[in-house]
mmCIF file of all heavy atoms in Angstrom:
data_model
loop_
_atom_site.group_PDB
_atom_site.id
_atom_site.type_symbol
_atom_site.label_atom_id
_atom_site.label_comp_id
_atom_site.label_asym_id
_atom_site.label_seq_id
_atom_site.Cartn_x
_atom_site.Cartn_y
_atom_site.Cartn_z
ATOM 1 N N PRO B 12 98.814 93.416 70.252
ATOM 2 C CA PRO B 12 99.750 93.665 69.152
ATOM 3 C C PRO B 12 100.820 92.590 69.074
ATOM 4 O O PRO B 12 101.148 91.949 70.084
ATOM 5 C CB PRO B 12 100.360 95.023 69.513
ATOM 6 C CG PRO B 12 99.391 95.649 70.451
ATOM 7 C CD PRO B 12 98.729 94.526 71.184
ATOM 8 N N LEU B 13 101.367 92.453 67.911
ATOM 9 C CA LEU B 13 102.401 91.446 67.678
ATOM 10 C C LEU B 13 103.554 91.586 68.667
ATOM 11 O O LEU B 13 103.993 90.607 69.270
ATOM 12 C CB LEU B 13 102.941 91.591 66.250
ATOM 13 C CG LEU B 13 102.719 90.435 65.283
ATOM 14 C CD1 LEU B 13 103.524 90.660 64.027
ATOM 15 C CD2 LEU B 13 103.121 89.119 65.929
ATOM 16 N N TYR B 14 104.035 92.799 68.817
ATOM 17 C CA TYR B 14 105.214 92.979 69.659
ATOM 18 C C TYR B 14 104.933 92.611 71.101
ATOM 19 O O TYR B 14 105.815 92.149 71.823
ATOM 20 C CB TYR B 14 105.740 94.423 69.545
ATOM 21 C CG TYR B 14 104.963 95.449 70.323
ATOM 22 C CD1 TYR B 14 105.318 95.774 71.626
ATOM 23 C CD2 TYR B 14 103.871 96.109 69.777
ATOM 24 C CE1 TYR B 14 104.622 96.718 72.345
ATOM 25 C CE2 TYR B 14 103.173 97.047 70.472
ATOM 26 C CZ TYR B 14 103.545 97.355 71.763
ATOM 27 O OH TYR B 14 102.838 98.288 72.466
ATOM 28 N N SER B 49 109.323 91.027 61.857
ATOM 29 C CA SER B 49 110.414 91.906 61.421
ATOM 30 C C SER B 49 111.318 92.252 62.603
ATOM 31 O O SER B 49 110.923 92.146 63.764
ATOM 32 C CB SER B 49 109.859 93.198 60.834
ATOM 33 O OG SER B 49 109.417 94.053 61.854
ATOM 34 N N THR B 52 109.852 94.804 65.006
ATOM 35 C CA THR B 52 108.890 94.324 65.994
ATOM 36 C C THR B 52 109.612 93.723 67.196
ATOM 37 O O THR B 52 109.234 93.956 68.349
ATOM 38 C CB THR B 52 107.956 93.287 65.348
ATOM 39 O OG1 THR B 52 107.274 93.917 64.250
ATOM 40 C CG2 THR B 52 106.940 92.779 66.343
ATOM 41 N N LYS B 55 110.941 96.498 69.348
ATOM 42 C CA LYS B 55 109.945 97.127 70.216
ATOM 43 C C LYS B 55 109.675 96.274 71.459
ATOM 44 O O LYS B 55 109.518 96.796 72.561
ATOM 45 C CB LYS B 55 108.647 97.382 69.449
ATOM 46 C CG LYS B 55 107.611 98.124 70.246
ATOM 47 C CD LYS B 55 106.832 99.139 69.421
ATOM 48 C CE LYS B 55 105.828 99.876 70.302
ATOM 49 N NZ LYS B 55 105.171 100.998 69.641
ATOM 50 N N GLN B 70 125.149 98.341 73.036
ATOM 51 C CA GLN B 70 125.446 98.520 71.617
ATOM 52 C C GLN B 70 126.740 97.830 71.248
ATOM 53 O O GLN B 70 127.744 97.984 71.936
ATOM 54 C CB GLN B 70 125.525 100.018 71.288
ATOM 55 C CG GLN B 70 125.689 100.274 69.802
ATOM 56 C CD GLN B 70 125.694 101.748 69.438
ATOM 57 O OE1 GLN B 70 125.949 102.104 68.317
ATOM 58 N NE2 GLN B 70 125.404 102.600 70.393
ATOM 59 N N GLY B 71 126.701 97.109 70.170
ATOM 60 C CA GLY B 71 127.898 96.433 69.678
ATOM 61 C C GLY B 71 128.126 95.074 70.316
ATOM 62 O O GLY B 71 128.845 94.249 69.759
ATOM 63 N N LYS B 72 127.508 94.828 71.479
ATOM 64 C CA LYS B 72 127.756 93.571 72.178
ATOM 65 C C LYS B 72 126.553 92.637 72.137
ATOM 66 O O LYS B 72 126.698 91.439 71.910
ATOM 67 C CB LYS B 72 128.128 93.838 73.640
ATOM 68 C CG LYS B 72 129.362 94.707 73.788
ATOM 69 C CD LYS B 72 129.713 94.966 75.231
ATOM 70 C CE LYS B 72 130.296 93.741 75.903
ATOM 71 N NZ LYS B 72 130.815 94.074 77.254
ATOM 72 P P DT C 10 100.972 100.165 69.855
ATOM 73 O OP1 DT C 10 100.514 99.127 70.803
ATOM 74 O OP2 DT C 10 102.226 100.921 70.106
ATOM 75 O "O5'" DT C 10 101.074 99.501 68.416
ATOM 76 C "C5'" DT C 10 99.972 98.740 67.947
ATOM 77 C "C4'" DT C 10 100.295 98.157 66.591
ATOM 78 O "O4'" DT C 10 100.476 99.218 65.627
ATOM 79 C "C3'" DT C 10 101.569 97.292 66.520
ATOM 80 O "O3'" DT C 10 101.189 96.037 65.993
ATOM 81 C "C2'" DT C 10 102.491 98.078 65.593
ATOM 82 C "C1'" DT C 10 101.489 98.848 64.731
ATOM 83 N N1 DT C 10 101.971 100.097 64.099
ATOM 84 C C2 DT C 10 101.902 100.201 62.728
ATOM 85 O O2 DT C 10 101.479 99.321 62.012
ATOM 86 N N3 DT C 10 102.356 101.398 62.226
ATOM 87 C C4 DT C 10 102.852 102.472 62.942
ATOM 88 O O4 DT C 10 103.221 103.491 62.378
ATOM 89 C C5 DT C 10 102.898 102.295 64.369
ATOM 90 C C7 DT C 10 103.415 103.396 65.241
ATOM 91 C C6 DT C 10 102.458 101.129 64.884
ATOM 92 P P DT C 11 102.229 94.804 66.091
ATOM 93 O OP1 DT C 11 101.399 93.588 66.182
ATOM 94 O OP2 DT C 11 103.259 95.095 67.098
ATOM 95 O "O5'" DT C 11 102.921 94.808 64.670
ATOM 96 C "C5'" DT C 11 102.132 94.592 63.497
ATOM 97 C "C4'" DT C 11 102.969 94.879 62.271
ATOM 98 O "O4'" DT C 11 103.121 96.296 62.110
ATOM 99 C "C3'" DT C 11 104.401 94.331 62.306
ATOM 100 O "O3'" DT C 11 104.455 93.149 61.521
ATOM 101 C "C2'" DT C 11 105.257 95.456 61.731
ATOM 102 C "C1'" DT C 11 104.231 96.481 61.269
ATOM 103 N N1 DT C 11 104.667 97.904 61.382
ATOM 104 C C2 DT C 11 104.698 98.679 60.246
ATOM 105 O O2 DT C 11 104.376 98.253 59.148
ATOM 106 N N3 DT C 11 105.116 99.974 60.440
ATOM 107 C C4 DT C 11 105.505 100.544 61.633
ATOM 108 O O4 DT C 11 105.868 101.716 61.691
ATOM 109 C C5 DT C 11 105.459 99.674 62.786
ATOM 110 C C7 DT C 11 105.856 100.189 64.135
ATOM 111 C C6 DT C 11 105.042 98.411 62.607
ATOM 112 P P DC C 12 105.830 92.341 61.365
ATOM 113 O OP1 DC C 12 105.459 90.935 61.080
ATOM 114 O OP2 DC C 12 106.772 92.652 62.449
ATOM 115 O "O5'" DC C 12 106.402 92.981 60.030
ATOM 116 C "C5'" DC C 12 105.588 92.981 58.859
ATOM 117 C "C4'" DC C 12 106.202 93.878 57.819
ATOM 118 O "O4'" DC C 12 106.150 95.250 58.293
ATOM 119 C "C3'" DC C 12 107.685 93.607 57.562
ATOM 120 O "O3'" DC C 12 107.860 92.830 56.387
ATOM 121 C "C2'" DC C 12 108.298 95.013 57.393
ATOM 122 C "C1'" DC C 12 107.152 95.964 57.616
ATOM 123 N N1 DC C 12 107.555 97.122 58.453
ATOM 124 C C2 DC C 12 107.721 98.379 57.856
ATOM 125 O O2 DC C 12 107.516 98.477 56.638
ATOM 126 N N3 DC C 12 108.103 99.425 58.621
ATOM 127 C C4 DC C 12 108.314 99.261 59.924
ATOM 128 N N4 DC C 12 108.679 100.325 60.630
ATOM 129 C C5 DC C 12 108.144 97.992 60.554
ATOM 130 C C6 DC C 12 107.771 96.963 59.794
ATOM 131 P P DG C 13 109.308 92.229 56.038
ATOM 132 O OP1 DG C 13 109.081 91.117 55.094
ATOM 133 O OP2 DG C 13 110.065 92.014 57.293
ATOM 134 O "O5'" DG C 13 110.021 93.436 55.282
ATOM 135 C "C5'" DG C 13 109.320 94.169 54.263
ATOM 136 C "C4'" DG C 13 110.182 95.338 53.837
ATOM 137 O "O4'" DG C 13 110.012 96.414 54.795
ATOM 138 C "C3'" DG C 13 111.678 95.038 53.789
ATOM 139 O "O3'" DG C 13 112.158 95.129 52.451
ATOM 140 C "C2'" DG C 13 112.326 96.093 54.681
ATOM 141 C "C1'" DG C 13 111.232 97.132 54.866
ATOM 142 N N9 DG C 13 111.313 97.796 56.159
ATOM 143 C C8 DG C 13 111.149 97.229 57.403
ATOM 144 N N7 DG C 13 111.297 98.075 58.385
ATOM 145 C C5 DG C 13 111.604 99.275 57.754
ATOM 146 C C6 DG C 13 111.883 100.560 58.298
ATOM 147 O O6 DG C 13 111.923 100.894 59.481
ATOM 148 N N1 DG C 13 112.133 101.492 57.296
ATOM 149 C C2 DG C 13 112.116 101.229 55.947
ATOM 150 N N2 DG C 13 112.388 102.246 55.150
ATOM 151 N N3 DG C 13 111.859 100.043 55.423
ATOM 152 C C4 DG C 13 111.611 99.119 56.380
ATOM 153 P P DG C 17 126.598 106.358 56.814
ATOM 154 O OP1 DG C 17 126.945 107.720 56.375
ATOM 155 O OP2 DG C 17 127.414 105.204 56.391
ATOM 156 O "O5'" DG C 17 126.519 106.367 58.400
ATOM 157 C "C5'" DG C 17 125.536 107.202 59.048
ATOM 158 C "C4'" DG C 17 125.583 106.958 60.554
ATOM 159 O "O4'" DG C 17 124.999 105.661 60.846
ATOM 160 C "C3'" DG C 17 126.994 106.925 61.140
ATOM 161 O "O3'" DG C 17 126.993 107.659 62.367
ATOM 162 C "C2'" DG C 17 127.267 105.442 61.367
ATOM 163 C "C1'" DG C 17 125.867 104.916 61.672
ATOM 164 N N9 DG C 17 125.656 103.509 61.365
ATOM 165 C C8 DG C 17 125.768 102.908 60.133
ATOM 166 N N7 DG C 17 125.486 101.632 60.164
ATOM 167 C C5 DG C 17 125.171 101.368 61.487
ATOM 168 C C6 DG C 17 124.786 100.167 62.115
ATOM 169 O O6 DG C 17 124.649 99.052 61.610
ATOM 170 N N1 DG C 17 124.555 100.357 63.479
ATOM 171 C C2 DG C 17 124.687 101.549 64.140
ATOM 172 N N2 DG C 17 124.430 101.542 65.446
ATOM 173 N N3 DG C 17 125.042 102.678 63.559
ATOM 174 C C4 DG C 17 125.266 102.520 62.237
ATOM 175 P P DT C 18 128.369 107.940 63.138
ATOM 176 O OP1 DT C 18 128.201 109.248 63.799
ATOM 177 O OP2 DT C 18 129.499 107.681 62.220
ATOM 178 O "O5'" DT C 18 128.370 106.821 64.260
ATOM 179 C "C5'" DT C 18 127.294 106.771 65.197
ATOM 180 C "C4'" DT C 18 127.544 105.664 66.190
ATOM 181 O "O4'" DT C 18 127.290 104.385 65.581
ATOM 182 C "C3'" DT C 18 128.981 105.611 66.729
ATOM 183 O "O3'" DT C 18 128.910 105.479 68.137
ATOM 184 C "C2'" DT C 18 129.571 104.385 66.052
ATOM 185 C "C1'" DT C 18 128.329 103.509 65.906
ATOM 186 N N1 DT C 18 128.370 102.497 64.820
ATOM 187 C C2 DT C 18 127.938 101.226 65.081
ATOM 188 O O2 DT C 18 127.537 100.884 66.172
ATOM 189 N N3 DT C 18 127.993 100.356 64.029
ATOM 190 C C4 DT C 18 128.439 100.637 62.742
ATOM 191 O O4 DT C 18 128.440 99.778 61.876
ATOM 192 C C5 DT C 18 128.875 101.983 62.532
ATOM 193 C C7 DT C 18 129.381 102.385 61.167
ATOM 194 C C6 DT C 18 128.824 102.852 63.567
ATOM 195 P P DA C 19 130.216 105.456 69.042
ATOM 196 O OP1 DA C 19 129.937 106.309 70.228
ATOM 197 O OP2 DA C 19 131.405 105.697 68.201
ATOM 198 O "O5'" DA C 19 130.257 103.946 69.536
ATOM 199 C "C5'" DA C 19 129.134 103.422 70.242
ATOM 200 C "C4'" DA C 19 129.376 101.962 70.550
ATOM 201 O "O4'" DA C 19 129.271 101.185 69.335
ATOM 202 C "C3'" DA C 19 130.756 101.660 71.144
ATOM 203 O "O3'" DA C 19 130.579 100.804 72.254
ATOM 204 C "C2'" DA C 19 131.509 101.000 69.993
ATOM 205 C "C1'" DA C 19 130.378 100.320 69.230
ATOM 206 N N9 DA C 19 130.625 100.138 67.794
ATOM 207 C C8 DA C 19 131.060 101.076 66.898
ATOM 208 N N7 DA C 19 131.172 100.618 65.666
ATOM 209 C C5 DA C 19 130.782 99.296 65.762
ATOM 210 C C6 DA C 19 130.674 98.267 64.810
ATOM 211 N N6 DA C 19 130.971 98.421 63.517
ATOM 212 N N1 DA C 19 130.247 97.056 65.242
ATOM 213 C C2 DA C 19 129.947 96.904 66.529
ATOM 214 N N3 DA C 19 130.008 97.794 67.512
ATOM 215 C C4 DA C 19 130.432 98.985 67.059
ATOM 216 P P DT C 20 131.840 100.371 73.152
ATOM 217 O OP1 DT C 20 131.347 100.327 74.543
ATOM 218 O OP2 DT C 20 133.005 101.194 72.768
ATOM 219 O "O5'" DT C 20 132.128 98.882 72.687
ATOM 220 C "C5'" DT C 20 131.046 97.949 72.683
ATOM 221 C "C4'" DT C 20 131.472 96.660 72.039
ATOM 222 O "O4'" DT C 20 131.568 96.838 70.611
ATOM 223 C "C3'" DT C 20 132.839 96.132 72.504
ATOM 224 O "O3'" DT C 20 132.638 94.873 73.107
ATOM 225 C "C2'" DT C 20 133.672 96.049 71.220
ATOM 226 C "C1'" DT C 20 132.597 96.002 70.137
ATOM 227 N N1 DT C 20 132.987 96.542 68.814
ATOM 228 C C2 DT C 20 132.843 95.744 67.698
ATOM 229 O O2 DT C 20 132.412 94.610 67.745
ATOM 230 N N3 DT C 20 133.213 96.337 66.509
ATOM 231 C C4 DT C 20 133.702 97.619 66.333
ATOM 232 O O4 DT C 20 133.998 98.040 65.229
ATOM 233 C C5 DT C 20 133.838 98.390 67.543
ATOM 234 C C7 DT C 20 134.359 99.796 67.467
ATOM 235 C C6 DT C 20 133.476 97.827 68.718
ATOM 236 P P DT C 21 133.875 94.111 73.784
ATOM 237 O OP1 DT C 21 133.317 93.344 74.909
ATOM 238 O OP2 DT C 21 134.986 95.068 74.000
ATOM 239 O "O5'" DT C 21 134.318 93.090 72.655
ATOM 240 C "C5'" DT C 21 133.333 92.233 72.061
ATOM 241 C "C4'" DT C 21 133.971 91.426 70.945
ATOM 242 O "O4'" DT C 21 134.126 92.270 69.770
ATOM 243 C "C3'" DT C 21 135.383 90.887 71.256
ATOM 244 O "O3'" DT C 21 135.478 89.532 70.826
ATOM 245 C "C2'" DT C 21 136.302 91.783 70.442
ATOM 246 C "C1'" DT C 21 135.408 92.082 69.234
ATOM 247 N N1 DT C 21 135.761 93.309 68.493
ATOM 248 C C2 DT C 21 135.672 93.301 67.108
ATOM 249 O O2 DT C 21 135.309 92.337 66.476
ATOM 250 N N3 DT C 21 136.020 94.496 66.514
ATOM 251 C C4 DT C 21 136.451 95.644 67.137
ATOM 252 O O4 DT C 21 136.747 96.638 66.494
ATOM 253 C C5 DT C 21 136.526 95.580 68.575
ATOM 254 C C7 DT C 21 136.995 96.773 69.345
ATOM 255 C C6 DT C 21 136.183 94.425 69.180
#
Side-chain angles (χ1 to χ4, degrees):
Chain B
L13 244 190
Y14 78 91
S49 76
T52 301
K55 184 142 181 172
Q70 186 177 173
K72 301 180 73 172

